[in-house]
């Protein structure tokens, strides 16, 4: 390990760093604070005594390319908490969330067990991109199974939280220290979006005591040569994925425009319109 003399700032929503910060044995207090900050934002019941499943192991995360759950934990009453961090994507990411939720429901129920043993799934997803639901956009949404005619009636099997981190930036610029103290989710959003952690370190620690540990772990991560090499490799892979996703969008748009033009030309031809117009 060496000192971070260059004050390197990494993407705090990187899945590798997130697994290191929240997914190791000994990180239960950090994880519990983030989970409860998310639940409290909707006045949901908080969780206690989280147990991390499949703790972070650097050797298993080097050269990681397959899709796996970033952090998974169990509560004292056997509820499952899934946390995902995603740097880029689109609305199709919701399909992946549903896949993980469904897979966990099935995997938790042993063959021959009664359906009454199905446990609640809390899925928390921190996204570094915005989703388009056709409305004005919200920084934090939660989806549950509800009665469409009476939304006060719901089935408490799943919670699917979508936290669009970038939407918090304007909110954070106007937030006072007292507001940060009252809403711990804001302190986590400030931590994740910061480009210079040193400038807000004192404020974060005052607003939320757990930030002392979070910041120390961040410094430890960025001062470790092996971890930083793994981070650089993972970041390069994710940048490549983002470029491919952008290219697929462009190609899809071009294909759509071409198809639209062909359909229009055929329609005009069928109406015996002037060929020069086509």
């Amino acid at each position: 390990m060496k000192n971070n003399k260059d004050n390197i700032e990494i993407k705090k929503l990187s899945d590798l760093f997130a697994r290191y910060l929240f997914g190791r044995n000994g990180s239960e207090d950090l994880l519990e604070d983030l989970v409860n900050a998310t639940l409290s934002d909707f006045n949901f019941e908080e969780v206690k005594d989280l147990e991390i499943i499949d703790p972070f192991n650097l050797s298993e995360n080097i050269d990681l390319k397959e899709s796996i759950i970033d952090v998974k934990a169990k509560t004292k009453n056997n509820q499952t908490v899934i946390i995902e961090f995603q740097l880029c994507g689109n609305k199709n990411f919701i399909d992946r969330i549903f896949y993980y939720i469904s897979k966990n429901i099935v995997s938790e129920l042993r063959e021959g067990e009664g359906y009454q043993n199905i446990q609640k799934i809390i899925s928390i997803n921190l996204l570094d991109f915005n989703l388009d639901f056709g409305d004005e956009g919200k920084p934090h949404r939660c989806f549950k199974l509800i009665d469409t005619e009476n939304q006060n009636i719901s089935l408490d099997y799943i919670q699917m939280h979508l936290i669009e981190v970038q939407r918090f930036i304007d909110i954070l610029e106007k937030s006072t220290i007292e507001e940060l103290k009252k809403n711990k989710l804001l302190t986590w959003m400030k931590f994740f979006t910061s480009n210079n952690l040193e400038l807000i370190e004192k404020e974060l620690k005052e607003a939320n005591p757990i930030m002392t540990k979070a910041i120390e772990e961040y410094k430890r991560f960025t001062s470790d040569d092996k971890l930083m090499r793994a981070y650089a490799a993972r970041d390069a892979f994710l940048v490549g994925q983002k470029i491919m996703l952008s290219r697929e969008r462009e190609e899809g748009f071009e294909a759509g425009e071409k198809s639209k033009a062909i359909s229009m030309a055929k329609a005009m031809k069928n109406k015996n319109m002037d060929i020069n117009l086509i």
Side-chain angles (χ1 to χ4, degrees):
M1 184 180 291
K2 65 181 180 63
N3 291 327
N4 185 6
K5 296 178 181 179
D6 298 325
N7 292 320
I8 297 170
E9 291 282 338
I10 64 170
K11 297 170 186 172
K12 299 171 193 69
L13 289 172
S14 158
D15 53 6
L16 183 69
F17 174 68
R19 290 180 196 129
Y20 169 86
L21 186 63
F22 298 106
R24 292 180 302 144
N25 288 328
S27 297
E28 290 84 358
D29 52 348
L30 291 167
L31 180 62
E32 191 169 301
D33 195 87
L34 175 62
V35 172
N36 285 333
T38 302
L39 298 178
S40 295
D41 201 36
F42 275 88
N43 296 315
F44 292 151
E45 183 181 355
E46 296 186 353
V47 299
K48 294 179 180 178
D49 301 323
L50 285 177
E51 177 189 355
I52 295 170
I53 309 300
D54 297 327
F56 173 85
N57 184 313
L58 179 59
S59 62
E60 294 175 358
N61 281 263
I62 292 177
D63 298 328
L64 180 66
K65 293 182 174 60
E66 71 274 15
S67 177
I68 66 169
I69 290 173
D70 290 333
V71 181
K72 180 178 176 181
K74 283 281 191 179
T75 67
K76 188 175 182 179
N77 57 351
N78 208 34
Q79 298 176 25
T80 299
V81 178
I82 298 170
I83 307 208
E84 281 283 297
F85 295 80
Q86 190 72 10
L87 291 174
C88 64
N90 52 38
K91 205 172 177 182
N92 292 334
F93 182 71
I94 297 175
D95 298 334
R96 173 172 152 178
I97 297 171
F98 273 118
Y99 168 75
Y100 281 145
I101 291 174
S102 303
K103 184 178 180 181
N104 274 273
I105 291 174
V106 172
S107 65
E108 292 291 327
L109 194 65
R110 295 186 187 129
E111 189 173 350
E113 278 190 320
Y115 295 125
Q116 69 273 12
N117 292 326
I118 291 176
Q119 298 298 322
K120 179 177 178 179
I121 301 278
I122 300 172
S123 171
I124 298 174
N125 305 273
L126 292 100
L127 315 177
D128 201 28
F129 56 93
N130 294 338
L131 295 170
D132 183 6
F133 286 94
D135 60 5
E136 73 282 1
K138 294 180 180 179
H140 181 191
R141 301 176 191 265
C142 180
F143 294 90
K144 298 179 70 177
L145 298 173
I146 64 168
D147 184 329
T148 55
E149 293 185 355
N150 184 350
Q151 296 186 12
N152 292 320
I153 299 175
S154 65
L155 299 178
D156 203 28
Y157 289 116
I158 66 168
Q159 290 178 19
M160 186 176 76
H161 295 265
L162 300 177
I163 299 175
E164 299 174 38
V165 176
Q166 294 300 318
R167 293 192 190 276
F168 277 91
I169 292 177
D170 288 340
I171 298 171
L172 291 169
E173 288 178 352
K174 303 170 186 174
S175 297
T176 65
I177 185 68
E178 293 306 316
E179 288 171 325
L180 293 177
K181 288 179 179 179
K182 290 177 183 177
N183 188 345
K184 289 184 177 180
L185 185 61
L186 291 179
T187 64
W188 282 111
M189 295 303 104
K190 193 151 192 166
F191 174 81
F192 288 130
T193 58
S194 169
N195 293 319
N196 191 335
L197 199 54
E198 188 176 358
L199 291 178
I200 61 169
E201 182 174 340
K202 183 179 179 181
E203 181 185 27
L204 285 179
K205 289 178 178 179
E206 181 183 348
N208 186 356
I210 200 68
M211 283 295 151
T212 298
K213 181 174 180 178
I215 291 168
E216 285 304 312
E217 292 297 344
Y218 174 82
K219 290 177 180 178
R220 187 172 287 112
F221 184 97
T222 55
S223 297
D224 189 295
D225 286 334
K226 195 171 183 180
L227 285 168
M228 288 300 289
R229 284 197 299 270
Y231 169 83
R234 180 65 177 161
D235 188 52
F237 171 73
L238 293 174
V239 168
Q241 276 195 324
K242 188 173 184 178
I243 291 171
M244 284 193 295
L245 182 64
S246 176
R247 190 174 298 157
E248 286 173 2
R249 284 191 194 131
E250 290 174 4
E251 290 174 353
F253 176 79
E254 290 173 1
E257 289 298 302
K258 183 177 180 180
S259 177
K260 191 190 298 182
I262 292 172
S263 297
M264 189 182 296
K266 286 180 177 178
M268 292 170 72
K269 184 177 181 182
N270 289 337
K271 292 179 180 179
N272 297 317
M273 295 181 70
D274 187 343
I275 192 68
N276 291 318
L277 294 176
I278 299 175

